[in-house]
Amino acid sequence: MSHDYRSGDVLSLECPFTETAVTGVTRYYVSVRWPWWEVDPQAENIRWNGERALPTPAAHEWEVFRTEPAETALKPGDTCLVGIPATVVHVQAVHRFDPPLVTGMLPRPASYLEVLRRGETHDPCLEDQGCTIDPVGGEPLRIELVFRPYAFLEPGDEVADRDGRAWRFDAAWNWCPFDGEQSGTPAWPLTLLFRRGEPTPKETEEVTRATSAGSHADELERWSELTRARPTTQQPRELSGRALRQHGRAEAWVTEYVCRRFGPSGRSGPSTADQPPWRAHSSRPP
C-alpha cells in the first residue's frame, strides 16, 4: 500500500520469521543478532553492535517482533527465529523525518509509526506505550491497511454537516467546529468546503457520496470492533523531522528512542545489572 499512513489507521502486520542467533539473556530481555539491518559507518556518537533486545514477560512491555521458540525458552548461543506473526495494530502517531534520522543503523528511517496492539487504548499519562516501527525499513514487513476511518477525507479538510455546522477534520476522532462549541460530532451527510483551496467537483462529489449513508457513530463502531480499543479525543500531531529540529528536540528524541529500543550507545545487549538497558545506563550515547 501507499506509505501515507496516518493516526487512526488499522493495520495488519507480518514479517517472515528468519533464523538468527541469541547473544544474551537476562530476566527482562533476550538479545539476538538482527538479521535485516546494517551498521551505519557514517553515524557519529552512536555505535550499534548489530543486536536487538526483545522483552520477556518480566519486562511488562509489548513488542511486535517475537522469537520462536519463545524468549523465555532461549539461552545464549541458541539459534532461533525472529519475525512478526500476523498481528492487527492501530496507529497512534506518525513521525516523519527529512532528512532521514541517523540512528546508527541502516537504512536510516524517514518515518516511524507508533502502534498499539489490539485491545489497547492510548493513555496520555503513560510515557511508554505500544511500540515503534519503520514501515519501509530493512525488515521485510507486510503491511495491509485494514481500515481507515474517514478515508474519504484528508487532514485539514473543512466540511459542512447536515445541520449546517462547519468543521475542520484533523484526525478521525479529532474534529474542530468553527462555531466555538466543543461538543458533538459531524452529522452526515457532509459537504466538502475546503481542501488546500477550493475543492474540485470530483472531490466534493466523493465526500457527498461517501457520507450519503451511515454516520460518525458507524465509523467509530467499525474502528472499535477492529481495534477493541477506545479512541482518544485528541490525537498526537504528526511530527516532521524539521519541526522536531526547530523545537530542539530531534537529537533528544533519537537518543531516547535508540537507548530504549536498542540499549545504551545504540547497543541492544542486556544490562549487566539485569535491568532494562535504559534504566541501568545514561540515556545519552558517549
Side-chain angles (χ1 to χ4, degrees), residues 159-167 175 179 184-193:
V159 302
D161 71 4
R162 182 187 62 207
D163 299 331
R165 297 184 72 187
W167 303 77
W175 288 84
D179 57 13
T185 56
W188 291 19
L190 305 177
T191 301
L192 183 63
L193 303 176

Side-chain angles (χ1 to χ4, degrees), residues 10-13 62 85-90 116-118 146 226-227:
V10 182
L11 307 176
S12 174
L13 302 181
W62 174 67
T87 304
V88 174
V89 300
H90 50 286
L116 300 176
R117 57 185 161 181
R118 178 178 280 173
V146 177
L226 291 169
T227 64

Side-chain angles (χ1 to χ4, degrees), residues 73-225:
L74 298 175
K75 62 183 183 299
D78 282 351
T79 297
C80 69
L81 301 176
V82 62
I84 303 176
T87 304
V88 174
V89 300
H90 50 286
V91 178
Q92 176 60 26
V94 180
H95 302 282
R96 297 184 174 92
F97 310 102
D98 182 16
L101 290 181
V102 179
T103 63
M105 294 150 273
L106 293 176
R108 295 180 176 180
S111 66
Y112 283 137
L113 305 183
E114 291 184 23
V115 299
L116 300 176
R117 57 185 161 181
R118 178 178 280 173
E120 186 172 17
T121 296
H122 173 63
D123 184 346
C125 295
L126 294 179
E127 181 180 354
D128 300 309
Q129 191 177 21
C131 68
T132 308
I133 62 172
D134 179 355
V136 291
E139 300 100 342
L141 298 179
R142 300 169 184 166
I143 305 179
E144 177 185 351
L145 179 63
V146 177
F147 177 59
R148 170 173 288 176
Y150 283 93
F152 48 86
L153 293 181
E154 299 179 6
D157 280 358
E158 297 174 8
V159 302
D161 71 4
R162 182 187 62 207
D163 299 331
R165 297 184 72 187
W167 303 77
R168 185 182 71 244
F169 172 78
D170 293 326
W173 321 124
N174 191 4
W175 288 84
C176 178
F178 287 103
D179 57 13
E181 295 291 334
Q182 297 303 314
S183 61
T185 56
W188 291 19
L190 305 177
T191 301
L192 183 63
L193 303 176
F194 179 90
R195 175 174 290 172
R196 300 181 300 276
E198 184 176 353
T200 66
K202 180 181 179 181
E203 291 171 334
T204 302
E205 195 276 332
E206 287 176 348
V207 172
T208 301
R209 183 177 65 251
T211 57
S212 61
S215 65
H216 178 88
D218 291 337
E219 292 286 286
L220 175 57
E221 181 179 7
R222 184 178 178 193
W223 184 88
S224 298
E225 288 176 349

Side-chain angles (χ1 to χ4, degrees), residues 28-30 53-63 65-66 71:
Y28 295 104
Y29 293 91
V30 171
L54 301 176
T56 67
H60 300 291
E61 296 177 18
W62 174 67
E63 167 58 55
F65 281 94
R66 308 309 311 166
E71 291 79 5

